[in-house]
Amino acid sequence: MKKIRVGIIGTGGISHCHMSGYKQLEAEGRAEIVACCDIDGAKLNAYCDKYGVAKRYTDCREMMKNEQLDCVSVCTWNSAHKDCTIAALEGGANVICEKPMAMNAKEAEEMLAAAKKAGKLLQVGFVRRFGEDADMVKKLVDDGVFGDIYYAKATYLRQNGCPGGWFGDRAFSGGGPLIDLGVHVIDLTRYLAGSPKPVSAYGVTYDNLGPDRANSGKKAWDIEVKPGEHPYNVEDICVAMVRFDNGFTLSVEASFNLNIKGDIGDVQLFGTKAGTSMNDMNVLTTKDGKFITFTPEGEHSFRFGPAFVEEIKGFVDASEGLVPCKAPAEDGVWLMKIIDAIYESAKTGKSVEIK
Ligand SMILES: NC(=O)c1ccc[n+]([C@@H]2O[C@H](COP(=O)([O-])OP(=O)(O)OC[C@H]3O[C@@H](n4cnc5c(N)ncnc54)[C@H](O)[C@@H]3O)[C@@H](O)[C@H]2O)c1
């Protein structure tokens, strides 16, 4: 079997998780990690030394011209997703681009158009779709356990959790916790609810707590933060309501900074027959006119490392036509439309239509 030739663009924090997926495929004889690219040459060299990658580039177009890559991961900051993804697609590769797909829906649509024109796969890094917890709930949904799901809550609240650096700089990130954290749980909820079409959104953002807390020196993430390099100009918290064409309503809350006791990440689904919270995976339903709860057998938690390995395997399998793509670019575009509408609504104070 021909080994797929892999490239990685952006060799920061999350690229290590992509690498662990490709390393597994390399060990199985399915892939060869040929080249990596980062605009920061020192970072690139350290990364390539660590993983034994010989070909190193600081310009992704040059990498694509020279290396005949089959599969490329785009792991740059958000403002570079569009250009790097289009360069990789035009250079003949299938691409997985980290979340959020882009800075806004317009960019995401350009990326989707480039994938169609090149006849290549474009997957979005919605890693939460690849968790064992998501598989468990999806099966319950598909088995009809919940009946019709008409309401859900997507929550990702951090007490003091801006990763710092470019994540707080709108020009690089496109926004704050909504586009960074909210995107994960909004996508997961919509996916579990059967991917209905969004029709409108109403949102509010606050920035009351701001840069002091964001720059309080907490370092929980593996990104480089150089003092003074980036302003902090994104929201602290966003709350929103999104309506869908089948009557389904989603309530969203996502924060970097909030006076809350601890961090909370959860997806709650409420249907005509049952409801659940993915935090404890306890399903509440009724039997013989009485409320009962049960917890399905199996792994209930979201395990970060294994989910990335599954995601990369799913991407390569889909690139080779072995399985359907589980996180297609079309869903990335819908997510960007939802995020654009929420930010627009927060500015205008009015509900915004999504088309
Ligand atoms: N799926 C997840 O759970 C998850 C978690 C963390 C981050 N992310 C996403 O991954 C992406 C990267 O985040 P990170 O934490 O790794 O950031 P990071 O800052 O650690 O790494 C980003 C890297 O991209 C490089 N870069 C920027 N522009 C480039 C370009 N044009 N060409 C080549 N390299 C370029 C930077 O030099 C930097 O090394 C973001 O989109 C982020 O939202 C996803």
Side-chain angles (χ1 to χ4, degrees):
M1 192 166 66
K2 175 186 168 284
K3 283 188 186 172
I4 60 131
R5 293 171 61 79
V6 173
I8 295 178
I9 306 176
T11 58
I14 212 62
S15 66
H16 295 274
C17 298
H18 287 238
M19 181 59 95
S20 65
Y22 292 122
K23 280 286 177 197
Q24 187 142 322
L25 294 171
E26 197 174 56
E28 291 166 13
R30 288 187 63 192
E32 185 187 355
I33 302 143
V34 173
C36 293
C37 168
D38 200 294
I39 51 172
D40 180 334
K43 209 165 169 181
L44 172 69
N45 278 330
Y47 185 82
C48 289
D49 288 348
K50 178 172 174 164
Y51 294 110
V53 180
K55 302 291 186 64
R56 303 161 185 204
Y57 292 88
T58 51
D59 177 338
C60 64
R61 288 209 173 257
E62 205 189 322
M63 176 174 86
M64 294 312 302
K65 197 170 75 194
N66 294 346
E67 301 298 347
Q68 288 84 47
L69 301 172
D70 302 304
C71 285
V72 166
S73 281
V74 173
C75 300
T76 65
W77 44 61
N78 304 345
S79 59
H81 283 184
K82 184 192 87 171
D83 286 352
C84 294
T85 296
I86 292 177
L89 291 165
E90 288 179 353
N94 301 295
V95 177
I96 178 166
C97 174
E98 260 306 337
K99 53 50 63 176
M101 183 169 170
M103 299 286 273
N104 51 50
K106 185 174 169 295
E107 286 192 0
E109 280 174 331
E110 283 178 52
M111 293 157 74
L112 174 59
K116 286 191 175 152
K117 191 166 169 215
K120 295 290 167 189
L121 171 71
L122 175 55
Q123 181 168 324
V124 182
F126 290 138
V127 69
R128 293 298 307 260
R129 294 188 181 206
F130 291 85
E132 291 136 306
D133 55 345
D135 286 344
M136 182 174 279
V137 176
K138 185 86 172 80
K139 183 165 183 323
L140 294 173
V141 171
D142 292 346
D143 288 349
V145 168
F146 295 105
D148 290 330
I149 297 170
Y150 55 90
Y151 177 51
K153 283 182 77 174
T155 304
Y156 206 146
L157 294 172
R158 284 187 185 156
Q159 181 198 61
N160 180 17
C162 175
W166 66 262
F167 281 91
D169 183 348
R170 191 172 291 276
F172 286 72
S173 61
L178 173 66
I179 199 169
D180 183 47
L181 307 176
V183 69
H184 276 300
V185 281
I186 297 171
D187 177 68
L188 179 60
T189 313
R190 176 174 172 265
Y191 165 71
L192 293 172
S195 303
K197 183 184 161 311
V199 292
S200 67
Y202 180 80
V204 183
T205 57
Y206 295 96
D207 56 5
N208 297 326
L209 306 180
D212 292 346
R213 283 168 60 125
N215 297 330
S216 65
K218 174 168 170 258
K219 180 147 178 31
W221 289 271
D222 185 21
I223 72 152
E224 262 177 67
V225 179
K226 295 182 189 137
E229 189 180 23
H230 291 283
Y232 180 84
N233 55 20
V234 298
E235 77 276 7
D236 286 330
I237 181 170
C238 175
V239 294
M241 190 79 101
V242 187
R243 301 181 69 156
F244 292 81
D245 65 346
N246 61 351
F248 171 62
T249 305
L250 171 62
S251 158
V252 181
E253 43 182 10
S255 72
F256 278 161
N257 290 307
L258 184 69
N259 286 321
I260 187 171
K261 220 167 168 190
D263 297 356
I264 307 176
D266 198 10
V267 160
Q268 290 165 275
L269 300 176
F270 306 99
T272 49
K273 292 188 182 162
T276 197
S277 147
M278 287 183 71
N279 256 347
D280 59 11
M281 217 55 102
N282 228 300
V283 180
L284 173 83
T285 186
T286 47
K287 195 174 180 194
D288 305 327
K290 293 198 174 108
F291 284 117
I292 58 156
T293 59
F294 69 93
T295 308
E297 296 274 312
E299 179 59 55
H300 294 163
S301 57
F302 174 71
R303 298 188 301 148
F304 202 74
F308 272 94
V309 171
E310 278 304 303
E311 180 186 52
I312 294 300
K313 184 175 178 301
F315 164 56
V316 170
D317 284 349
S319 296
E320 295 193 316
L322 302 176
V323 297
C325 175
K326 205 171 180 181
E330 284 80 357
D331 285 338
V333 172
W334 280 120
L335 255 286
M336 294 317 304
K337 287 185 178 186
I338 291 172
I339 286 168
D340 283 0
I342 294 173
Y343 278 138
E344 175 68 16
S345 169
K347 259 195 244 159
T348 61
K350 299 202 165 73
S351 173
V352 171
E353 204 185 334
I354 300 172
K355 286 187 215 141

